[in-house]
Amino acid sequence: MIYLNDDIESFDLQAALPMLSEQRRQQLQKFKHELGQKTCAMAYLLLCQGLREEYGLLEPPLFGYNEHGKPYIVGHPDIHFNLSHCRAGVICVLSHCPVGIDIESVRQYNDSLVRYTMNEREQQLISASEQPAVAFTRLWTMKEAVLKCKGTGITDNIKQALDGVTGIETSVNDKKGYVYSVYPGLSTT
């Protein structure tokens, strides 16, 4: 299931702090700016909501990390999740199998970034689009979702990340200016 919150501005960070694990509060302190702290807390609270609703777990989760930094819930190897956040929103996905999700704000189109991260076919799709910045962000979130699902992050060859991959679901929110993708495809709550 997917949990999304795109109302970052009204989030009360101080009220949320007691609901976070000590581990997450320490993670929060690594962010210098309030936006990063808010989105870090919000992502964790979305995970807590999902764990309550989907699995009946009431305790704040503690994380372990694989060799590439992908988090897992200590004591619950059967629960797979992934978190992502950007300036426009925060998202969490929970599943019974490995899953990846990414959310990104649509930013100004950058041709050198497109050439660096996209293969020729993807570059053609972007240049043919009426909204190249949205097309780039869509493909970028798809790549990140796949790599996060694998647990490798963007250490893999980013240009070939989507080769042979199916089942990715993408959503574009033009009004709030973000795109998210989830792999494997799941329906939203």
Side-chain angles (χ1 to χ4, degrees):
M1 295 305 259
I2 296 172
Y3 295 85
L4 171 70
N5 186 339
D6 58 10
D7 187 15
I8 296 171
E9 192 169 309
S10 66
F11 181 75
D12 186 343
L13 181 60
Q14 293 307 310
L17 288 176
M19 295 181 269
L20 306 179
S21 69
E22 179 59 31
Q23 180 188 48
R24 195 61 173 186
R25 283 193 293 274
Q26 289 176 9
Q27 180 73 25
L28 192 91
Q29 297 309 311
K30 294 179 182 179
F31 291 91
K32 294 179 182 179
H33 302 286
E34 184 181 31
L35 177 63
Q37 293 175 354
K38 277 184 166 187
T39 57
C40 178
M42 290 172 73
Y44 184 82
L45 292 176
L46 285 178
L47 175 62
C48 291
Q49 176 187 352
L51 292 172
R52 273 191 318 274
E53 291 178 9
E54 305 300 319
Y55 298 94
L57 299 176
L58 303 178
E59 291 297 314
L62 294 178
F63 298 153
Y65 297 89
N66 77 6
E67 65 274 11
H68 298 287
K70 182 176 180 174
Y72 60 88
I73 300 170
V74 173
H76 297 280
D78 57 323
I79 301 174
H80 299 270
F81 76 98
N82 205 227
L83 307 172
S84 185
H85 48 83
C86 67
R87 294 183 171 278
V90 177
I91 200 160
C92 170
V93 62
L94 289 119
S95 179
H96 63 281
C97 61
V99 64
I101 199 160
D102 189 49
I103 186 170
E104 298 289 339
S105 299
V106 176
R107 298 197 178 149
Q108 186 173 353
Y109 181 81
N110 180 325
D111 191 55
S112 63
L113 183 59
V114 169
R115 286 192 314 273
Y116 184 73
T117 59
M118 302 292 158
N119 63 39
E120 285 185 37
R121 182 184 59 78
E122 293 163 345
Q123 289 178 40
Q124 290 170 355
L125 288 171
I126 292 167
S127 65
S129 172
E130 291 181 20
Q131 297 179 302
V134 173
F136 169 79
T137 306
R138 181 179 171 274
L139 286 165
W140 178 261
T141 61
M142 292 170 69
K143 289 175 183 252
E144 277 230 36
V146 168
L147 295 173
K148 288 172 75 177
C149 180
K150 290 180 180 179
T152 61
I154 56 173
T155 59
D156 276 359
N157 184 345
I158 193 74
K159 286 188 176 186
Q160 273 63 53
L162 299 179
D163 289 357
V165 174
T166 60
I168 303 170
E169 287 190 15
T170 300
S171 181
V172 177
N173 187 318
D174 288 321
K175 183 178 177 183
K176 296 232 177 174
Y178 65 81
V179 176
Y180 76 81
S181 293
V182 61
Y183 177 74
L186 300 171
S187 59
T188 58
T189 58

